[in-house]
Amino acid sequence: MDKILNYINGILTEPIEGKFFHTINPAIGKPYALVSDSDKADVANAVAAASVAFPKWSATPARDRSAILIKIAELIERDLDKLALAESIDQGKPVALAKALDIPRAAANIRFYATAILHESSEAHFTNQEAINYTQHTPVGVVGCISPWNLPLYLFTWKIAPAIAAGCTVVAKPSEITPMTAYLFSKLCIEAGLPAGVLNIVHGVGAKAGQAIIEHAEIKAISFTGGTATGKIIAATAGPMFKKLSLELGGKNPNIIFTDCDFEKAVATSIQSSFSNQGEICLCGSRIFVERPLYEKFVTEFTTRTKALIVGDPLDEKTNLGAIASEAHLTKILSYIELARQEGGTIIQGGNQVKLIGRCAEGYFLEPTIITGLSHTCRTNQEEIFGPVVTIMPFDTEEEVLKYANSTTYGLAATIWTENLTRAHRVAAKVNSGIVWVNCWLFRDLRTPFGGMKQSGIGREGGFEALKFFTDEKNVCIKL
Ligand code: NDP
């Protein structure tokens, strides 16, 4: 069985204790590789390597940092098929999705920050005729980057690229559930000539390797994407240590459909925003609110199209929904479907585990599921399920739907469907979400601020925001 090794000080290495655990291919329900079960000592080695590398890397001219990052992006593009296949096997997502979305986006993340650092500028403030103030941005030092299992390489690179580009050195940990593409990525970094210690990847479980990263005194900033519960642990640990924190957490996103929408676009895109990646995208619109005159028509059409989706082998190009990422996650999603029943909901489509035949007979598959008849306040509509499960609810007025949309502790993303521009602006302004899409979903411009309100997180990724996060600002005041 292949071993997924740590990448520390430029070298692929076994964990000090020599321990490994299995990683499972969720489509077949069987282990297929061994993952380094790293601990505090491995993290300490990674931090030591990053600390040694920091002075030289932070002093390396932006054009040279940029050139290495561009080389890494080119290697990702060269290995697109190989990486997409690895991502699909490790995560369960359709290989076609990994090819079209995950891997191209990983390359785009790196290219974006490789070129952004060539166009940076800093502010200057003239104080009357008496002084000039200018702002210096200096890399903060060694930083920690921790990412989840739903979009493994996509989100891993979304953190690492701005950190390295900004001149920081990094200790990173991918999810224990999906470590493979981060491992393949470490090989590409070696091939591209990234200097030793600039990026260190420590594999292992969150409570051990992850916790060691956030607790380490030399790590000055933490960029984390994952669940809100884990975010709270990280904030509780890193806050009193005065580390900089960027937390991208969970969501329970509203998808608001007004009667005056472009019906065809609203239905087609809602299928995407509900079930892409098995609904395991933090931006998926899991609560669909439909204005009452359109409600029956929408439910009928949405259900018909959901029924037509193919749940199948992720390696089959025709598959729409692949495997759920882990058995534990499948159990969690099924428990929420049961909860919805207990709360009085009607499962109008799906709700059951899917048993495939052949190669995937033991895999973790689930029907795309639609639930109606629930109130916006019930647990099913308040808690993040993070699977191919949506609820649909009718509403009568804008005020009412805004109350529903804003009723959760989350505030990550919202989608609004209307052809009325004035209404679009008005509702967008009143939805408590860090991201609002009008008549589209997951349409991303990497320059825009990305992140959530309320318990969906603190800080923003994307654009120059992320580069700023990895730097300290210093004001220099010169008296004229
Ligand atoms: P988790 O919070 O369970 O894990 C995220 C990462 O944190 C993993 O690498 C995990 O390691 C690690 N981790 C777990 N415990 C600790 C700890 N004590 N200290 C340090 N690191 C730790 O999230 P999931 O992986 O389950 O991802 C799903 C969640 O991520 C959902 O809530 C989803 O909404 C959210 N998400 C948010 C996004 C956003 O941009 N806002 C984007 C994508 C997902 P390990 O896997 O080994 O436990």
Side-chain angles (χ1 to χ4, degrees):
M1 227 177 242
D2 284 344
K3 279 184 173 171
I4 292 178
L5 301 174
N6 290 333
Y7 170 52
I8 297 177
N9 206 18
I11 295 165
L12 298 174
T13 175
E14 295 208 355
I16 294 166
E17 291 285 321
K19 290 188 193 153
F20 289 85
F21 56 84
H22 285 118
T23 184
I24 310 282
N25 173 345
I28 59 170
K30 291 190 179 65
Y32 81 102
L34 289 163
V35 188
S36 295
D37 186 4
S38 312
D39 63 18
K40 226 176 178 163
D42 301 295
V43 169
N45 278 351
V47 175
S51 299
V52 170
F54 178 70
K56 193 162 176 205
W57 182 249
S58 56
T60 300
R63 64 171 183 276
D64 297 342
R65 278 182 271 140
S66 174
I68 293 179
L69 285 164
I70 294 280
K71 178 76 185 150
I72 295 172
E74 286 168 357
L75 293 176
I76 292 175
E77 283 155 357
R78 180 197 71 189
D79 287 356
L80 172 76
D81 289 345
K82 180 180 164 189
L83 289 164
L85 181 62
E87 201 72 293
S88 171
I89 291 170
D90 210 23
Q91 205 272 344
K93 67 181 66 222
V95 69
L97 183 71
K99 260 188 220 171
L101 177 73
D102 295 69
I103 309 306
R105 175 58 194 275
N109 289 339
I110 296 188
R111 272 187 195 284
F112 180 84
Y113 284 105
T115 50
I117 51 171
L118 302 177
H119 304 282
E120 268 186 307
S121 58
S122 66
E123 308 82 14
H125 300 89
F126 297 88
T127 311
N128 304 324
Q129 305 297 318
E130 299 166 73
I132 301 170
N133 292 273
Y134 65 89
T135 311
Q136 278 185 343
H137 297 274
T138 49
V140 294
V142 180
V143 300
C145 295
I146 299 178
S147 54
W149 48 256
N150 62 326
L151 300 166
L153 192 62
Y154 172 137
L155 290 174
F156 191 68
T157 51
W158 184 230
K159 302 187 167 308
I160 284 167
I164 294 176
C168 292
T169 54
V170 176
V171 177
K173 193 194 90 64
S175 169
E176 73 193 67
I177 297 168
T178 53
M180 184 53 94
T181 48
Y183 173 58
L184 298 175
F185 180 76
S186 57
K187 292 185 176 182
L188 298 183
C189 291
I190 294 170
E191 188 179 341
L194 187 69
V198 170
L199 171 63
N200 303 274
I201 303 176
V202 181
H203 295 276
V205 300
K208 193 164 61 171
Q211 187 74 23
I213 292 174
I214 59 173
E215 284 175 357
H216 201 294
E218 287 301 307
I219 290 188
K220 305 288 184 234
I222 311 262
S223 173
F224 169 80
T225 298
T228 295
T230 315
K232 281 182 188 167
I233 296 173
I234 291 175
T237 310
M241 298 174 84
F242 300 106
K243 295 178 190 234
K244 287 184 94 174
L245 279 181
S246 167
L247 302 176
E248 299 297 336
L249 309 176
K252 189 73 180 173
N253 308 310
N255 177 10
I256 303 169
I257 298 169
F258 288 98
T259 307
D260 63 7
C261 69
D262 179 323
F263 185 73
E264 171 51 36
K265 283 188 192 151
V267 178
T269 307
S270 294
I271 291 284
Q272 302 279 319
S273 64
S274 301
F275 303 123
S276 290
N277 205 46
Q278 302 74 243
E280 297 163 338
I281 300 181
C282 55
L283 306 164
C284 278
S286 54
R287 295 178 298 149
I288 306 178
F289 299 106
V290 188
E291 201 172 7
R292 202 172 299 275
L294 197 65
Y295 181 76
E296 291 302 331
K297 184 179 170 193
F298 180 89
V299 170
T300 305
E301 186 60 28
F302 186 77
T303 307
T304 305
R305 294 196 199 188
T306 301
K307 276 195 174 96
L309 295 173
I310 299 168
V311 179
D313 186 340
L315 302 187
D316 184 336
E317 297 275 343
K318 290 194 293 296
T319 290
N320 300 116
L321 281 85
I324 301 298
S326 69
E327 190 173 21
H329 193 52
L330 174 65
T331 305
K332 177 189 155 185
I333 300 170
L334 286 168
S335 78
Y336 270 102
I337 295 171
E338 183 47 37
L339 175 70
R341 281 198 187 93
Q342 288 166 14
E343 291 183 321
T346 307
I347 318 291
I348 60 166
Q349 160 62 29
N352 303 302
Q353 197 175 343
V354 176
K355 283 286 173 196
L356 298 178
I357 47 167
R359 190 182 92 86
C360 297
E362 302 299 319
Y364 317 134
F365 295 89
L366 184 66
E367 291 173 324
T369 299
I370 307 171
I371 306 168
T372 57
L374 288 172
S375 93
H376 71 281
T377 54
C378 69
R379 278 183 59 205
T380 309
N381 272 324
Q382 291 289 315
E383 297 175 17
E384 185 183 43
I385 301 174
F386 210 55
V389 179
V390 294
T391 60
I392 314 185
M393 284 157 281
F395 68 90
D396 291 299
T397 65
E398 246 177 65
E399 291 67 33
E400 185 188 1
V401 78
L402 280 163
K403 186 174 112 189
Y404 296 169
N406 291 335
S407 67
T408 73
T409 54
Y410 296 107
L412 187 55
T415 309
I416 301 166
W417 291 93
T418 177
E419 293 293 296
N420 179 333
L421 187 60
T422 309
R423 188 209 299 272
H425 286 299
R426 193 169 55 228
V427 176
K430 290 182 182 166
V431 175
N432 295 332
S433 297
I435 302 151
V436 180
W437 279 295
V438 177
N439 299 333
C440 60
W441 177 73
L442 209 59
F443 193 93
R444 293 279 293 122
D445 179 329
L446 301 189
R447 293 170 300 179
T448 59
F450 179 91
M453 296 179 176
K454 301 194 274 184
Q455 292 192 21
S456 289
I458 46 173
R460 292 292 179 269
E461 296 188 315
F464 288 105
E465 293 292 325
L467 287 174
K468 273 194 185 157
F469 173 74
F470 290 111
T471 56
D472 279 322
E473 287 181 328
K474 182 189 288 177
N475 186 67
V476 178
C477 176
I478 301 172
K479 186 85 167 65
L480 296 176

